[in-house]
């Protein structure tokens, strides 16, 4: 069961990985990834510091 889950996860990730490899020179891709990362960080930070 675990092996099939890992295989299915790899199958789902493969198109995204291929797309990243094909577009790795695009600066908008990297800016977008950084902005999404910062947004996730900000949301998590605010959720963990609700008591202040």
């Amino acid at each position: 069961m675990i092996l099939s889950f890992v295989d299915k996860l790899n199958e789902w990730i493969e198109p995204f990985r291929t797309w990243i490899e094909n577009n790795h020179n695009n600066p908008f891709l990297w800016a977008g990834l950084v902005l999404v990362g910062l947004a996730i960080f900000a949301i998590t930070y605010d959720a963990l510091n609700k008591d202040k």
Side-chain angles (χ1 to χ4, degrees), residues 4-21:
S4 64
F5 174 74
V6 172
D7 290 339
K8 193 58 137 172
L9 186 62
N10 283 334
E11 184 180 313
W12 289 339
I13 290 174
E14 187 62 33
F16 180 70
R17 192 174 117 205
T18 304
W19 183 78
I20 291 289
E21 288 173 356

Side-chain angles (χ1 to χ4, degrees), residues 14-38:
E14 187 62 33
F16 180 70
R17 192 174 117 205
T18 304
W19 183 78
I20 291 289
E21 288 173 356
N22 291 338
N23 293 299
H24 72 278
N25 287 331
N26 187 347
F28 294 115
L29 169 68
W30 295 109
L33 289 175
V34 168
L35 290 175
V36 168
L38 287 173

